[in-house]
Amino acid sequence: MYKLLLVENYNDLSETAFRRLYENLPQERQKRINRYRLIQDKNAAVVSWAMAQYLLKKEFGLAHWSVTYNAYGKPLLKDYPDIHFNISHCKNGCLCAVSDQPIGIDIQDITEFHWSIAEHACCFEELKVLESVEDPAQSFTTMWTIKESILKMTGYGIGSGLKEINSILYQSRVAVTKKQNMIIAVAAHDRLEDFNLCID
Amino acid sequence: MEERIIEILDEFVETNIEIKPESMLVADLGLSSLDVINIVVAFEEEYDIEIPDRVIPTFATVRDIEDYLEAHV
């Protein structure tokens, strides 16, 4: 089971709404948010963690929980090893997922394509695909979100090697969708059989 | 080297925030993981080196990047 929530245009958050969401977060989270200097980063953090609060309560009945981090920096629920959550944000969207299995998500704006970045992040097979597609910016962003979602699901992070993950081989395990100018990827521990990611 | 590092970083930071050696890449400069890869590639091209993915998570601040480059360039 997994539930996914997307909030678009989170930078439209009013000061009053920001304050209300912020005050509902644990002090430890508030301290982390206080470290952000840019208002858009503060907004993204407040909205993302408020979404996690909402989904964990709605789907698992968890009203109080705290977070710990694995050796690679992945946030995990401290006292609930069988309940998983993940958050991600980009310029225009905040995404949160909860699940009863390890899950990793990524949301990314489609931006200008650079071969040098692709060569750093992509394996040979992926580069061959990028050479042949009409829209390499969208294809690369899709590949990137698949890689990120897998790395976030496993909890190993970028340090374990971007090229090691051939996104083409993971297509049956990662659900991908496009929403406006954003690509969203969801990687679950089990295969996502008959899974269509649809966000209205 | 510090001045050049900040010049390169400035191309990727979208706001007018002053970049200092102690600036945190995420918390202060608002960089995403993809931004960090962009920056890594820019430094690889600038200094003609290869920065392995495994060291990227150690880049928390501008100074971390500077320390790495000073040791490897």
Side-chain angles (χ1 to χ4, degrees), chain A residues 27-67:
Chain A
Q27 275 192 347
E28 179 270 337
R29 186 56 45 194
Q30 291 178 350
K31 279 183 192 167
R32 284 177 176 265
I33 290 168
N34 293 345
R35 290 187 211 155
Y36 291 116
R37 285 189 63 183
L38 303 176
I39 186 67
Q40 56 263 42
D41 291 333
K42 288 179 189 282
N43 283 343
V46 161
V47 170
S48 299
W49 287 93
M51 289 159 78
Q53 280 181 322
Y54 170 78
L55 280 178
L56 287 168
K57 187 169 184 185
K58 184 169 183 280
E59 302 302 328
F60 294 101
L62 296 187
H64 302 286
W65 44 271
S66 58
V67 167

mmCIF file of all heavy atoms in Angstrom, chain A residues 27-67:
data_model
loop_
_atom_site.group_PDB
_atom_site.id
_atom_site.type_symbol
_atom_site.label_atom_id
_atom_site.label_comp_id
_atom_site.label_asym_id
_atom_site.label_seq_id
_atom_site.Cartn_x
_atom_site.Cartn_y
_atom_site.Cartn_z
ATOM 1 N N GLN A 27 9.698 20.469 17.419
ATOM 2 C CA GLN A 27 10.747 21.488 17.574
ATOM 3 C C GLN A 27 12.013 21.148 16.792
ATOM 4 O O GLN A 27 12.656 22.024 16.213
ATOM 5 C CB GLN A 27 11.097 21.643 19.054
ATOM 6 C CG GLN A 27 10.170 22.607 19.768
ATOM 7 C CD GLN A 27 10.685 22.984 21.143
ATOM 8 O OE1 GLN A 27 11.600 22.361 21.655
ATOM 9 N NE2 GLN A 27 10.085 24.002 21.728
ATOM 10 N N GLU A 28 12.325 19.863 16.802
ATOM 11 C CA GLU A 28 13.544 19.426 16.086
ATOM 12 C C GLU A 28 13.424 19.782 14.597
ATOM 13 O O GLU A 28 14.388 20.231 13.967
ATOM 14 C CB GLU A 28 13.735 17.916 16.298
ATOM 15 C CG GLU A 28 14.929 17.296 15.622
ATOM 16 C CD GLU A 28 14.653 16.788 14.209
ATOM 17 O OE1 GLU A 28 13.473 16.506 13.877
ATOM 18 O OE2 GLU A 28 15.610 16.699 13.444
ATOM 19 N N ARG A 29 12.230 19.624 14.046
ATOM 20 C CA ARG A 29 12.004 19.942 12.625
ATOM 21 C C ARG A 29 12.025 21.450 12.420
ATOM 22 O O ARG A 29 12.560 21.948 11.427
ATOM 23 C CB ARG A 29 10.659 19.323 12.194
ATOM 24 C CG ARG A 29 10.330 19.427 10.719
ATOM 25 C CD ARG A 29 11.381 18.847 9.815
ATOM 26 N NE ARG A 29 11.863 17.548 10.267
ATOM 27 C CZ ARG A 29 12.957 16.960 9.799
ATOM 28 N NH1 ARG A 29 13.684 17.543 8.882
ATOM 29 N NH2 ARG A 29 13.343 15.785 10.263
ATOM 30 N N GLN A 30 11.428 22.163 13.364
ATOM 31 C CA GLN A 30 11.432 23.632 13.266
ATOM 32 C C GLN A 30 12.866 24.160 13.241
ATOM 33 O O GLN A 30 13.189 25.060 12.464
ATOM 34 C CB GLN A 30 10.679 24.240 14.449
ATOM 35 C CG GLN A 30 9.184 23.976 14.425
ATOM 36 C CD GLN A 30 8.483 24.558 15.646
ATOM 37 O OE1 GLN A 30 9.116 24.989 16.595
ATOM 38 N NE2 GLN A 30 7.159 24.552 15.622
ATOM 39 N N LYS A 31 13.718 23.566 14.071
ATOM 40 C CA LYS A 31 15.118 24.017 14.114
ATOM 41 C C LYS A 31 15.788 23.807 12.762
ATOM 42 O O LYS A 31 16.554 24.648 12.287
ATOM 43 C CB LYS A 31 15.887 23.230 15.181
ATOM 44 C CG LYS A 31 15.689 23.753 16.576
ATOM 45 C CD LYS A 31 16.552 22.971 17.557
ATOM 46 C CE LYS A 31 16.155 23.292 18.984
ATOM 47 N NZ LYS A 31 16.740 22.343 19.949
ATOM 48 N N ARG A 32 15.505 22.660 12.152
ATOM 49 C CA ARG A 32 16.097 22.393 10.836
ATOM 50 C C ARG A 32 15.589 23.402 9.807
ATOM 51 O O ARG A 32 16.343 23.875 8.964
ATOM 52 C CB ARG A 32 15.760 20.971 10.376
ATOM 53 C CG ARG A 32 16.595 19.913 11.084
ATOM 54 C CD ARG A 32 16.186 18.522 10.672
ATOM 55 N NE ARG A 32 17.058 17.535 11.279
ATOM 56 C CZ ARG A 32 18.134 17.010 10.699
ATOM 57 N NH1 ARG A 32 18.450 17.359 9.463
ATOM 58 N NH2 ARG A 32 18.875 16.127 11.321
ATOM 59 N N ILE A 33 14.298 23.697 9.869
ATOM 60 C CA ILE A 33 13.715 24.649 8.913
ATOM 61 C C ILE A 33 14.303 26.045 9.126
ATOM 62 O O ILE A 33 14.540 26.781 8.167
ATOM 63 C CB ILE A 33 12.170 24.633 9.027
ATOM 64 C CG1 ILE A 33 11.645 23.300 8.475
ATOM 65 C CG2 ILE A 33 11.543 25.816 8.288
ATOM 66 C CD1 ILE A 33 10.203 23.021 8.767
ATOM 67 N N ASN A 34 14.562 26.381 10.381
ATOM 68 C CA ASN A 34 15.140 27.703 10.681
ATOM 69 C C ASN A 34 16.513 27.882 10.026
ATOM 70 O O ASN A 34 16.954 29.002 9.806
ATOM 71 C CB ASN A 34 15.277 27.890 12.190
ATOM 72 C CG ASN A 34 13.923 27.977 12.867
ATOM 73 O OD1 ASN A 34 12.908 28.179 12.200
ATOM 74 N ND2 ASN A 34 13.898 27.799 14.173
ATOM 75 N N ARG A 35 17.184 26.774 9.754
ATOM 76 C CA ARG A 35 18.528 26.873 9.155
ATOM 77 C C ARG A 35 18.473 27.318 7.685
ATOM 78 O O ARG A 35 19.452 27.805 7.147
ATOM 79 C CB ARG A 35 19.231 25.510 9.210
ATOM 80 C CG ARG A 35 19.628 25.098 10.595
ATOM 81 C CD ARG A 35 20.469 23.834 10.483
ATOM 82 N NE ARG A 35 20.292 22.986 11.648
ATOM 83 C CZ ARG A 35 20.484 21.685 11.653
ATOM 84 N NH1 ARG A 35 20.855 21.067 10.555
ATOM 85 N NH2 ARG A 35 20.311 20.985 12.744
ATOM 86 N N TYR A 36 17.310 27.076 7.039
ATOM 87 C CA TYR A 36 17.202 27.467 5.628
ATOM 88 C C TYR A 36 17.158 28.983 5.512
ATOM 89 O O TYR A 36 16.439 29.655 6.255
ATOM 90 C CB TYR A 36 15.946 26.869 4.989
ATOM 91 C CG TYR A 36 16.008 25.374 4.819
ATOM 92 C CD1 TYR A 36 15.134 24.538 5.502
ATOM 93 C CD2 TYR A 36 16.940 24.796 3.975
ATOM 94 C CE1 TYR A 36 15.189 23.168 5.352
ATOM 95 C CE2 TYR A 36 16.996 23.420 3.819
ATOM 96 C CZ TYR A 36 16.125 22.608 4.507
ATOM 97 O OH TYR A 36 16.183 21.260 4.362
ATOM 98 N N ARG A 37 17.887 29.511 4.556
ATOM 99 C CA ARG A 37 17.919 30.968 4.396
ATOM 100 C C ARG A 37 16.872 31.456 3.401
ATOM 101 O O ARG A 37 16.374 32.558 3.523
ATOM 102 C CB ARG A 37 19.305 31.407 3.908
ATOM 103 C CG ARG A 37 20.329 31.338 5.024
ATOM 104 C CD ARG A 37 21.622 31.961 4.620
ATOM 105 N NE ARG A 37 21.472 33.397 4.343
ATOM 106 C CZ ARG A 37 22.464 34.158 3.918
ATOM 107 N NH1 ARG A 37 23.656 33.629 3.715
ATOM 108 N NH2 ARG A 37 22.283 35.419 3.682
ATOM 109 N N LEU A 38 16.582 30.624 2.390
ATOM 110 C CA LEU A 38 15.668 31.082 1.338
ATOM 111 C C LEU A 38 14.232 30.737 1.711
ATOM 112 O O LEU A 38 13.947 29.627 2.166
ATOM 113 C CB LEU A 38 16.023 30.420 0.000
ATOM 114 C CG LEU A 38 17.451 30.641 -0.495
ATOM 115 C CD1 LEU A 38 17.690 29.856 -1.784
ATOM 116 C CD2 LEU A 38 17.686 32.126 -0.736
ATOM 117 N N ILE A 39 13.330 31.681 1.465
ATOM 118 C CA ILE A 39 11.934 31.484 1.842
ATOM 119 C C ILE A 39 11.335 30.285 1.099
ATOM 120 O O ILE A 39 10.539 29.527 1.653
ATOM 121 C CB ILE A 39 11.099 32.779 1.641
ATOM 122 C CG1 ILE A 39 9.681 32.601 2.166
ATOM 123 C CG2 ILE A 39 11.077 33.223 0.204
ATOM 124 C CD1 ILE A 39 9.576 32.451 3.664
ATOM 125 N N GLN A 40 11.750 30.086 -0.174
ATOM 126 C CA GLN A 40 11.191 28.946 -0.913
ATOM 127 C C GLN A 40 11.614 27.609 -0.306
ATOM 128 O O GLN A 40 10.849 26.640 -0.340
ATOM 129 C CB GLN A 40 11.541 29.001 -2.415
ATOM 130 C CG GLN A 40 13.004 29.094 -2.730
ATOM 131 C CD GLN A 40 13.443 30.517 -2.979
ATOM 132 O OE1 GLN A 40 13.027 31.443 -2.267
ATOM 133 N NE2 GLN A 40 14.282 30.733 -3.974
ATOM 134 N N ASP A 41 12.813 27.565 0.273
ATOM 135 C CA ASP A 41 13.252 26.334 0.939
ATOM 136 C C ASP A 41 12.491 26.115 2.244
ATOM 137 O O ASP A 41 12.148 24.994 2.599
ATOM 138 C CB ASP A 41 14.763 26.384 1.210
ATOM 139 C CG ASP A 41 15.568 26.304 -0.076
ATOM 140 O OD1 ASP A 41 15.069 25.719 -1.061
ATOM 141 O OD2 ASP A 41 16.689 26.847 -0.119
ATOM 142 N N LYS A 42 12.229 27.216 2.956
ATOM 143 C CA LYS A 42 11.435 27.111 4.185
ATOM 144 C C LYS A 42 10.020 26.635 3.845
ATOM 145 O O LYS A 42 9.479 25.752 4.506
ATOM 146 C CB LYS A 42 11.350 28.469 4.894
ATOM 147 C CG LYS A 42 12.646 28.921 5.556
ATOM 148 C CD LYS A 42 12.447 30.289 6.206
ATOM 149 C CE LYS A 42 13.757 30.885 6.699
ATOM 150 N NZ LYS A 42 14.238 30.335 7.943
ATOM 151 N N ASN A 43 9.427 27.233 2.798
ATOM 152 C CA ASN A 43 8.083 26.830 2.388
ATOM 153 C C ASN A 43 8.049 25.349 2.017
ATOM 154 O O ASN A 43 7.160 24.608 2.432
ATOM 155 C CB ASN A 43 7.624 27.650 1.170
ATOM 156 C CG ASN A 43 7.199 29.055 1.550
ATOM 157 O OD1 ASN A 43 6.947 29.333 2.723
ATOM 158 N ND2 ASN A 43 7.120 29.938 0.577
ATOM 159 N N ALA A 44 9.026 24.926 1.208
ATOM 160 C CA ALA A 44 9.053 23.532 0.754
ATOM 161 C C ALA A 44 9.165 22.579 1.939
ATOM 162 O O ALA A 44 8.476 21.553 1.992
ATOM 163 C CB ALA A 44 10.218 23.313 -0.215
ATOM 164 N N ALA A 45 10.023 22.931 2.892
ATOM 165 C CA ALA A 45 10.214 22.053 4.049
ATOM 166 C C ALA A 45 8.948 21.987 4.902
ATOM 167 O O ALA A 45 8.513 20.902 5.306
ATOM 168 C CB ALA A 45 11.402 22.536 4.875
ATOM 169 N N VAL A 46 8.347 23.147 5.154
ATOM 170 C CA VAL A 46 7.139 23.174 5.991
ATOM 171 C C VAL A 46 6.014 22.380 5.325
ATOM 172 O O VAL A 46 5.346 21.557 5.958
ATOM 173 C CB VAL A 46 6.705 24.642 6.253
ATOM 174 C CG1 VAL A 46 5.268 24.715 6.696
ATOM 175 C CG2 VAL A 46 7.594 25.259 7.313
ATOM 176 N N VAL A 47 5.812 22.616 4.038
ATOM 177 C CA VAL A 47 4.730 21.930 3.329
ATOM 178 C C VAL A 47 5.008 20.425 3.267
ATOM 179 O O VAL A 47 4.122 19.603 3.538
ATOM 180 C CB VAL A 47 4.544 22.525 1.909
ATOM 181 C CG1 VAL A 47 3.595 21.673 1.077
ATOM 182 C CG2 VAL A 47 4.015 23.949 2.007
ATOM 183 N N SER A 48 6.246 20.031 2.936
ATOM 184 C CA SER A 48 6.577 18.608 2.817
ATOM 185 C C SER A 48 6.345 17.863 4.125
ATOM 186 O O SER A 48 5.755 16.777 4.147
ATOM 187 C CB SER A 48 8.047 18.423 2.426
ATOM 188 O OG SER A 48 8.289 19.030 1.186
ATOM 189 N N TRP A 49 6.819 18.456 5.216
ATOM 190 C CA TRP A 49 6.677 17.762 6.508
ATOM 191 C C TRP A 49 5.244 17.804 7.007
ATOM 192 O O TRP A 49 4.792 16.872 7.686
ATOM 193 C CB TRP A 49 7.673 18.315 7.524
ATOM 194 C CG TRP A 49 9.056 17.849 7.179
ATOM 195 C CD1 TRP A 49 9.978 18.502 6.420
ATOM 196 C CD2 TRP A 49 9.649 16.581 7.506
ATOM 197 N NE1 TRP A 49 11.103 17.726 6.263
ATOM 198 C CE2 TRP A 49 10.933 16.551 6.931
ATOM 199 C CE3 TRP A 49 9.218 15.482 8.242
ATOM 200 C CZ2 TRP A 49 11.790 15.463 7.046
ATOM 201 C CZ3 TRP A 49 10.068 14.388 8.376
ATOM 202 C CH2 TRP A 49 11.332 14.377 7.785
ATOM 203 N N ALA A 50 4.508 18.848 6.665
ATOM 204 C CA ALA A 50 3.081 18.877 7.008
ATOM 205 C C ALA A 50 2.340 17.796 6.232
ATOM 206 O O ALA A 50 1.420 17.147 6.751
ATOM 207 C CB ALA A 50 2.496 20.254 6.699
ATOM 208 N N MET A 51 2.750 17.568 4.988
ATOM 209 C CA MET A 51 2.141 16.493 4.186
ATOM 210 C C MET A 51 2.440 15.134 4.815
ATOM 211 O O MET A 51 1.573 14.255 4.867
ATOM 212 C CB MET A 51 2.693 16.540 2.751
ATOM 213 C CG MET A 51 2.198 17.729 1.947
ATOM 214 S SD MET A 51 3.302 18.069 0.545
ATOM 215 C CE MET A 51 2.812 16.807 -0.601
ATOM 216 N N ALA A 52 3.664 14.960 5.294
ATOM 217 C CA ALA A 52 4.022 13.688 5.948
ATOM 218 C C ALA A 52 3.176 13.486 7.199
ATOM 219 O O ALA A 52 2.664 12.390 7.445
ATOM 220 C CB ALA A 52 5.512 13.683 6.293
ATOM 221 N N GLN A 53 2.999 14.566 7.975
ATOM 222 C CA GLN A 53 2.147 14.480 9.173
ATOM 223 C C GLN A 53 0.733 14.033 8.788
ATOM 224 O O GLN A 53 0.161 13.150 9.404
ATOM 225 C CB GLN A 53 2.049 15.854 9.853
ATOM 226 C CG GLN A 53 3.234 16.217 10.713
ATOM 227 C CD GLN A 53 3.038 17.572 11.373
ATOM 228 O OE1 GLN A 53 2.493 18.500 10.771
ATOM 229 N NE2 GLN A 53 3.498 17.697 12.609
ATOM 230 N N TYR A 54 0.210 14.691 7.764
ATOM 231 C CA TYR A 54 -1.159 14.407 7.333
ATOM 232 C C TYR A 54 -1.305 12.956 6.869
ATOM 233 O O TYR A 54 -2.207 12.234 7.306
ATOM 234 C CB TYR A 54 -1.526 15.380 6.203
ATOM 235 C CG TYR A 54 -2.821 15.043 5.498
ATOM 236 C CD1 TYR A 54 -4.048 15.353 6.069
ATOM 237 C CD2 TYR A 54 -2.802 14.401 4.256
ATOM 238 C CE1 TYR A 54 -5.235 15.027 5.425
ATOM 239 C CE2 TYR A 54 -3.982 14.078 3.607
ATOM 240 C CZ TYR A 54 -5.196 14.395 4.194
ATOM 241 O OH TYR A 54 -6.360 14.060 3.562
ATOM 242 N N LEU A 55 -0.398 12.504 6.002
ATOM 243 C CA LEU A 55 -0.523 11.153 5.433
ATOM 244 C C LEU A 55 -0.265 10.066 6.479
ATOM 245 O O LEU A 55 -0.945 9.037 6.482
ATOM 246 C CB LEU A 55 0.448 10.981 4.259
ATOM 247 C CG LEU A 55 0.013 11.578 2.927
ATOM 248 C CD1 LEU A 55 1.101 11.363 1.870
ATOM 249 C CD2 LEU A 55 -1.305 10.980 2.438
ATOM 250 N N LEU A 56 0.700 10.278 7.351
ATOM 251 C CA LEU A 56 1.003 9.257 8.370
ATOM 252 C C LEU A 56 -0.166 9.111 9.342
ATOM 253 O O LEU A 56 -0.469 8.011 9.803
ATOM 254 C CB LEU A 56 2.297 9.602 9.117
ATOM 255 C CG LEU A 56 3.570 9.389 8.293
ATOM 256 C CD1 LEU A 56 4.774 10.026 8.980
ATOM 257 C CD2 LEU A 56 3.831 7.907 8.050
ATOM 258 N N LYS A 57 -0.828 10.217 9.613
ATOM 259 C CA LYS A 57 -1.993 10.139 10.509
ATOM 260 C C LYS A 57 -3.180 9.498 9.786
ATOM 261 O O LYS A 57 -3.848 8.617 10.320
ATOM 262 C CB LYS A 57 -2.361 11.540 11.000
ATOM 263 C CG LYS A 57 -3.443 11.506 12.060
ATOM 264 C CD LYS A 57 -3.621 12.846 12.726
ATOM 265 C CE LYS A 57 -4.648 12.700 13.855
ATOM 266 N NZ LYS A 57 -4.966 13.983 14.467
ATOM 267 N N LYS A 58 -3.407 9.924 8.559
ATOM 268 C CA LYS A 58 -4.566 9.438 7.810
ATOM 269 C C LYS A 58 -4.442 7.949 7.469
ATOM 270 O O LYS A 58 -5.391 7.191 7.597
ATOM 271 C CB LYS A 58 -4.706 10.256 6.522
ATOM 272 C CG LYS A 58 -5.929 9.933 5.687
ATOM 273 C CD LYS A 58 -6.113 10.985 4.595
ATOM 274 C CE LYS A 58 -7.374 10.728 3.801
ATOM 275 N NZ LYS A 58 -7.184 9.679 2.791
ATOM 276 N N GLU A 59 -3.281 7.531 7.023
ATOM 277 C CA GLU A 59 -3.129 6.158 6.528
ATOM 278 C C GLU A 59 -2.713 5.166 7.602
ATOM 279 O O GLU A 59 -3.012 3.987 7.510
ATOM 280 C CB GLU A 59 -2.100 6.129 5.385
ATOM 281 C CG GLU A 59 -2.434 7.027 4.210
ATOM 282 C CD GLU A 59 -3.789 6.704 3.588
ATOM 283 O OE1 GLU A 59 -4.180 5.521 3.602
ATOM 284 O OE2 GLU A 59 -4.462 7.646 3.102
ATOM 285 N N PHE A 60 -1.986 5.643 8.609
ATOM 286 C CA PHE A 60 -1.476 4.709 9.629
ATOM 287 C C PHE A 60 -1.883 5.099 11.052
ATOM 288 O O PHE A 60 -1.500 4.414 12.002
ATOM 289 C CB PHE A 60 0.059 4.627 9.541
ATOM 290 C CG PHE A 60 0.551 4.021 8.260
ATOM 291 C CD1 PHE A 60 1.030 4.827 7.234
ATOM 292 C CD2 PHE A 60 0.515 2.640 8.057
ATOM 293 C CE1 PHE A 60 1.473 4.266 6.046
ATOM 294 C CE2 PHE A 60 0.962 2.082 6.872
ATOM 295 C CZ PHE A 60 1.447 2.894 5.850
ATOM 296 N N GLY A 61 -2.630 6.171 11.201
ATOM 297 C CA GLY A 61 -3.079 6.586 12.531
ATOM 298 C C GLY A 61 -1.974 7.118 13.410
ATOM 299 O O GLY A 61 -2.123 7.164 14.635
ATOM 300 N N LEU A 62 -0.844 7.512 12.818
ATOM 301 C CA LEU A 62 0.288 8.010 13.614
ATOM 302 C C LEU A 62 0.143 9.515 13.858
ATOM 303 O O LEU A 62 0.252 10.306 12.932
ATOM 304 C CB LEU A 62 1.617 7.768 12.898
ATOM 305 C CG LEU A 62 2.053 6.325 12.661
ATOM 306 C CD1 LEU A 62 3.465 6.300 12.093
ATOM 307 C CD2 LEU A 62 1.992 5.528 13.945
ATOM 308 N N ALA A 63 -0.108 9.864 15.105
ATOM 309 C CA ALA A 63 -0.224 11.286 15.433
ATOM 310 C C ALA A 63 1.111 11.838 15.937
ATOM 311 O O ALA A 63 1.420 13.008 15.751
ATOM 312 C CB ALA A 63 -1.307 11.489 16.478
ATOM 313 N N HIS A 64 1.876 10.986 16.582
ATOM 314 C CA HIS A 64 3.168 11.426 17.129
ATOM 315 C C HIS A 64 4.255 10.486 16.647
ATOM 316 O O HIS A 64 4.148 9.280 16.819
ATOM 317 C CB HIS A 64 3.126 11.432 18.658
ATOM 318 C CG HIS A 64 2.046 12.304 19.203
ATOM 319 N ND1 HIS A 64 2.121 13.675 19.190
ATOM 320 C CD2 HIS A 64 0.839 11.987 19.737
ATOM 321 C CE1 HIS A 64 1.011 14.172 19.700
ATOM 322 N NE2 HIS A 64 0.210 13.174 20.038
ATOM 323 N N TRP A 65 5.268 11.047 16.045
ATOM 324 C CA TRP A 65 6.376 10.233 15.543
ATOM 325 C C TRP A 65 7.612 11.112 15.486
ATOM 326 O O TRP A 65 7.526 12.339 15.449
ATOM 327 C CB TRP A 65 6.058 9.638 14.172
ATOM 328 C CG TRP A 65 5.417 10.595 13.212
ATOM 329 C CD1 TRP A 65 4.079 10.828 13.077
ATOM 330 C CD2 TRP A 65 6.074 11.484 12.287
ATOM 331 N NE1 TRP A 65 3.859 11.790 12.125
ATOM 332 C CE2 TRP A 65 5.065 12.210 11.610
ATOM 333 C CE3 TRP A 65 7.401 11.727 11.942
ATOM 334 C CZ2 TRP A 65 5.343 13.157 10.633
ATOM 335 C CZ3 TRP A 65 7.693 12.670 10.967
ATOM 336 C CH2 TRP A 65 6.663 13.373 10.323
ATOM 337 N N SER A 66 8.734 10.469 15.495
ATOM 338 C CA SER A 66 9.977 11.227 15.339
ATOM 339 C C SER A 66 10.824 10.548 14.274
ATOM 340 O O SER A 66 10.575 9.405 13.886
ATOM 341 C CB SER A 66 10.726 11.325 16.665
ATOM 342 O OG SER A 66 11.008 10.038 17.144
ATOM 343 N N VAL A 67 11.831 11.282 13.855
ATOM 344 C CA VAL A 67 12.613 10.849 12.702
ATOM 345 C C VAL A 67 14.045 10.561 13.113
ATOM 346 O O VAL A 67 14.619 11.257 13.948
ATOM 347 C CB VAL A 67 12.577 11.965 11.622
ATOM 348 C CG1 VAL A 67 13.613 11.747 10.543
ATOM 349 C CG2 VAL A 67 11.188 12.037 10.996
#
